[in-house]
Amino acid sequence: MKTQGKVFLVGAGPGDPELLTIKAARAIALADVILVDDLVNPDILDHARFDARIVQVGKRGGCQSTPQEFIERMMIAEARAGRCVVRLKGGDPFIFGRGGEERAHLQGAGIAVDVINGISSGLAAPASIGVPLTHRDWSQGAVFVTGHGKTPHANPDWAALARLDMTLVIYMGVARCGEIQAALLAGGKAASTPVAVIHAATLPSQAQLVTTLGELPQALAAWGLGSPGIIVVGDVVRCADQDVGAGSRHLPYQSQSPRV
Ligand SMILES: C[S@@+](CC[C@H](N)C(=O)[O-])C[C@H]1O[C@@H](n2cnc3c(N)ncnc32)[C@H](O)[C@@H]1O
């Protein structure tokens, strides 16, 4: 009788391959099949077996991403065939990564599934410029929020978020920064609130700027920072490294490797 395989939903971290967890590297090394999302650094696949089947399922070069149903059907078929499947996602699979939907779907089909956390870009991006998400003087909490709801009606309640005295960490918000800015200002957030935008955090192409909420769309346009980007709104941005001034762009990449 054939043993049923298993699916691991694995977080690949924000980009720097050294930010992968040891547990994630071990799962990748075990896998027969690896389904790889967009924003996963290809260097991470160095951990894979030479005979592992690698399937890219993200959007590439403006193409449509692979339909979610196809990905789920494939994971179920491979696991039923007794194979070890790794579903590799950028950041953390349970933060805006559809990990919850996929886990439910797999379990509904009777497939064993494990989740292996990754470092989310919402943690790594601010840290890469010296910005903590909480600080006893500046912010008593942080909210992770998407700038891009599943449907146009599923957007966050920006007015409620504007009233919170906490750090806002906005994913998928760069393309809609004008709408987000207007909604936060309308909700009462001060135009002088510090904001940081970090593009391609922890990668050699990382770029960032620090500005204010009032000037966010103009600053982004002026410096041409696009997706993927994390927007951090709140007083903690005052802690940003000194050399991340308004409009500072393409600062030299600093390896995350510990100095020895
Ligand atoms: C579909 S969400 C996936 C988030 C991912 N699961 C995580 O935990 O980081 C994609 C968004 O994550 C953010 N993102 C992912 N990697 C990033 C990076 N290296 N630098 C900045 N933002 C990043 C961007 O906001 C991007 O639009």
Side-chain angles (χ1 to χ4, degrees):
M1 199 178 73
K2 190 147 201 159
T3 338
Q4 181 150 296
K6 183 167 186 171
V7 176
F8 294 88
L9 302 178
V10 178
D16 181 344
E18 292 193 359
L19 290 176
L20 192 70
T21 68
I22 293 169
K23 197 163 188 164
R26 281 181 45 216
I28 294 167
L30 274 177
D32 300 299
V33 185
I34 307 178
L35 287 84
V36 186
D37 251 3
D38 249 357
L39 298 180
V40 171
N41 188 330
D43 290 353
I44 281 172
L45 296 172
D46 289 352
H47 293 280
R49 287 190 345 233
F50 75 94
D51 60 341
R53 181 172 168 216
I54 312 278
V55 187
Q56 299 286 347
V57 293
K59 282 183 203 156
R60 293 281 161 195
C63 303
Q64 287 294 309
S65 55
T66 312
Q68 187 65 20
E69 304 73 51
F70 172 87
I71 295 171
E72 287 168 358
R73 268 204 313 273
M74 185 171 175
M75 288 194 287
I76 291 168
E78 295 289 346
R80 284 192 176 143
R83 288 190 266 277
C84 172
V85 181
V86 159
R87 172 82 167 103
L88 197 52
K89 292 167 175 286
D92 184 273
F94 270 14
I95 305 263
F96 304 124
R98 297 192 186 182
E101 294 161 46
E102 290 182 9
R103 179 173 177 271
H105 199 89
L106 291 161
Q107 286 186 326
I111 305 294
V113 48
D114 262 5
V115 179
I116 300 180
N117 290 116
I119 296 178
S120 184
S121 55
L123 295 173
S128 72
I129 58 166
V131 171
L133 295 186
T134 65
H135 188 296
R136 288 191 299 168
D137 296 334
W138 300 113
S139 170
Q140 308 313 312
V143 179
F144 287 6
V145 62
T146 177
H148 184 101
K150 188 175 177 185
T151 66
H153 305 293
N155 283 322
D157 182 347
W158 295 110
L161 292 171
R163 287 192 296 274
L164 286 179
D165 203 9
M166 293 186 185
T167 310
L168 302 182
V169 183
I170 306 172
Y171 294 67
M172 295 171 277
V174 170
R176 295 192 179 180
C177 71
E179 289 165 50
I180 294 168
Q181 178 221 36
L184 287 173
L185 291 174
K189 201 76 160 169
S192 58
T193 308
V195 174
V197 182
I198 308 107
H199 163 82
T202 80
L203 288 164
S205 54
Q206 174 166 340
Q208 57 273 315
L209 61 81
V210 169
T211 183
T212 60
L213 185 59
E215 293 178 357
L216 174 61
Q218 296 88 327
L220 266 175
W223 297 98
L225 292 195
S227 294
I230 289 287
I231 304 174
V232 184
V233 181
D235 284 324
V236 287
V237 171
R238 296 175 196 275
C239 303
D241 292 336
Q242 292 282 305
D243 48 2
V244 186
S248 67
R249 187 182 171 218
H250 299 309
L251 292 182
Y253 173 62
Q254 291 185 337
S255 164
Q256 300 284 321
S257 314
R259 291 210 180 88
V260 284

